[in-house]
């Protein structure tokens, strides 16, 4: 098992020196994540601009050979989901960081694919609560599947689990700063979510703690954010993998910085969180343009291993010490509705 994992990693070239290099070509055999105990697979390492080899945002948590949790579903993730060998029937939860198109545009297509499986159990979807400018997760889903007004009203069976479709249980996580939400989202997988600052856009960061018979594993994935709030960095303390969007370069405008974190700030946050590995992802041409200055800026703050995300990259998780796992404070489920 370990040999397989190591081969997957080395085949795609992990180190940050690769930033700016051409993305993995479509012809490259996809790394499989179904042979590792627990793994995170990148489905999309790109952003809102089409790039060769990079779908928009999406990640899969594999546990015991099954894809159990999908995080984000931007354009192209539908294709990558199939290339990864994942099945909609195995999914226990979908976590959406925010409702920008490059994080959610393929969600409906993926859900519909479940019609062609034998799935009949409900699927949980977690996403942000809305504000005046953005709908919440529930309104977003209703806009597609409402029986009378939904744009995909032919799929109204998602509302009650009828007509060959499975029920969608939609939960919204609040954007109150400092609020926290905790849920078990799959067998042995605990999710915690916090709001992160992404300009006017309700956006979330997630931590997933996985417990199997022998070990504990932990990852944290952030939606787009400017890192001007600290709740997510605290939440990510001691994780094995910290996945951060890197949508801007170190040389960026104030408008860009109001929405996104610079490489320097990402490195500092990863160091503060004591993450064992930092995965930078969600690239745009502007964040791929100056790889050397990005590398320097990231490494100024962070001294651990830095991984450049590539589509279909499988990252087997390494166990964390119980110091960072079992003693997690158990927050009340106060901000999930
Ligand atoms: Zn965004």
């Amino acid at each position: 098992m370990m040999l397989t994992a190591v081969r997957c990693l080395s085949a795609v070239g992990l180190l940050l020196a690769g930033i700016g290099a051409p993305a993995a070509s479509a012809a490259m055999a996809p790394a499989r994540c179904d042979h590792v105990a627990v793994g995170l697979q990148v489905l999309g390492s790109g952003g809102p601009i089409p790039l060769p080899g990079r779908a928009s945002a999406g990640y899969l948590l594999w546990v015991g050979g099954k894809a159990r949790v999908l995080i984000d579903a931007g354009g192209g993730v539908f294709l990558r989901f199939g290339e990864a060998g994942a099945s909609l029937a195995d999914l226990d939860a979908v976590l959406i960081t925010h409702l920008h198109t490059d994080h959610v545009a393929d969600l409906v297509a993926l859900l519909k694919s479940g019609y062609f499986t034998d799935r009949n159990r409900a699927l949980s979807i977690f996403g942000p609560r809305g504000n005046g400018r953005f709908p919440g997760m529930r309104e977003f889903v209703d806009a597609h599947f409402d029986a009378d007004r939904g744009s995909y009203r032919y799929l109204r069976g998602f509302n009650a689990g009828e007509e060959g479709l499975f029920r969608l249980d939609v939960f919204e996580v609040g954007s109150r700063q400092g609020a926290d939400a905790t849920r078990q989202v799959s067998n042995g997988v605990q999710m915690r979510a916090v709001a992160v600052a992404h300009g006017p856009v309700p956006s979330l960061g997630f931590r997933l703690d996985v417990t199997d018979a022998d070990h504990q594993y932990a990852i944290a994935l952030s939606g787009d954010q400017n890192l001007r709030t600290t709740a997510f960095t605290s939440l990510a303390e001691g994780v094995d993998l910290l996945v951060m969007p890197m949508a801007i370069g170190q040389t960026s405008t104030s408008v860009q910085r109001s929405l996104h974190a610079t490489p320097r700030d990402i490195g500092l946050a990863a160091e503060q969180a004591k993450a064992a590995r930092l995965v930078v992802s969600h690239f745009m041409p502007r964040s791929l343009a100056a790889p050397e200055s990005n590398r320097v800026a990231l490494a100024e703050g962070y001294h651990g291993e830095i991984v450049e995300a590539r589509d279909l990259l499988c990252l087997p998780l390494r166990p964390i010490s119980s110091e960072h796992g079992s003693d997690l404070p158990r927050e009340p489920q106060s901000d999930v509705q």
Side-chain angles (χ1 to χ4, degrees):
M1 183 198 310
M2 284 310 293
L3 278 178
T4 306
V6 169
R7 238 182 290 122
C8 290
L9 295 176
S10 60
V12 289
L14 274 185
L15 295 177
L16 183 66
I19 281 190
S25 80
M28 177 180 284
R32 298 295 293 243
C33 222
D34 51 0
H35 299 109
V36 304
V38 183
L40 183 75
Q41 187 163 27
V42 179
L43 295 185
S45 59
I49 296 177
L51 290 173
R54 296 193 192 273
S56 296
Y59 306 88
L60 264 182
L61 178 72
W62 290 81
V63 182
K66 306 279 190 192
R68 293 301 191 190
V69 183
L70 172 69
I71 304 98
D72 279 347
V77 166
F78 178 88
L79 175 65
R80 296 291 191 233
F81 191 89
E83 290 176 328
S87 167
L88 206 287
D90 294 332
L91 272 190
D92 290 324
V94 177
L95 315 180
I96 299 295
T97 61
H98 63 297
L99 296 176
H100 274 157
T101 54
D102 53 323
H103 296 259
V104 77
D106 270 6
L107 176 62
V108 170
L110 271 172
L111 294 175
K112 163 67 183 181
S113 73
Y115 177 84
F116 303 101
T117 72
D118 58 3
R119 183 188 189 103
N120 49 34
R121 64 197 174 99
L123 177 66
S124 297
I125 300 178
F126 294 83
R129 193 169 301 154
N131 61 18
R133 297 174 66 169
F134 277 76
M137 196 71 232
R138 200 169 283 117
E139 183 183 344
F140 181 88
V141 170
D142 285 346
H144 292 93
F145 304 134
D146 181 86
D148 298 319
R149 297 177 307 280
S151 46
Y152 295 110
R153 68 194 73 158
Y154 81 103
L155 301 176
R156 59 186 176 272
F158 277 127
N159 293 299
E162 299 168 339
E163 302 178 11
L165 297 169
F166 47 93
R167 192 181 75 239
L168 300 178
D169 291 336
V170 183
F171 301 93
E172 294 186 344
V173 179
S175 55
R176 200 167 65 246
Q177 293 304 327
D180 189 311
T182 303
R183 284 289 169 100
Q184 179 162 330
V185 293
S186 180
N187 190 22
V189 182
Q190 185 191 55
M191 176 210 72
R192 301 181 69 192
V194 291
V196 296
H198 185 33
V201 190
S203 184
L204 302 173
F206 298 105
R207 176 183 176 125
L208 295 169
D209 284 278
V210 184
T211 307
D212 68 12
D214 304 312
H215 301 292
Q216 287 188 280
Y217 308 86
I219 61 172
L221 306 96
S222 179
D224 294 351
Q225 66 155 320
N226 57 25
L227 277 173
R228 290 181 195 165
T229 57
T230 58
F232 176 75
T233 305
S234 301
L235 185 73
E237 184 177 341
V239 295
D240 173 27
L241 285 183
L242 171 61
V243 182
M244 290 294 299
M246 199 167 88
I248 61 176
Q250 194 56 40
T251 304
S252 44
T253 68
S254 60
V255 172
Q256 291 168 355
R257 291 174 190 224
S258 71
L259 294 169
H260 298 287
T262 62
R264 179 176 293 119
D265 287 344
I266 290 170
L268 289 169
E271 187 71 19
Q272 193 180 341
K274 303 185 185 75
R277 292 179 284 172
L278 168 63
V279 182
V280 288
S281 187
H282 201 37
F283 297 111
M284 295 176 64
R286 65 194 185 196
S287 63
L288 291 167
E292 180 57 21
S293 91
N294 290 344
R295 186 191 66 76
V296 169
L298 283 166
E300 274 176 13
Y302 181 65
H303 305 116
E305 180 183 346
I306 301 173
V307 178
E308 178 203 356
R310 293 175 184 276
D311 286 22
L312 295 173
L313 172 64
C314 172
L315 295 160
L317 299 197
R318 302 168 185 162
I320 60 167
S321 71
S322 57
E323 168 194 349
H324 291 303
S326 58
D327 296 336
L328 272 177
R330 296 287 188 258
E331 299 283 336
Q333 297 178 5
S334 57
D335 209 28
V336 180
Q337 293 177 354

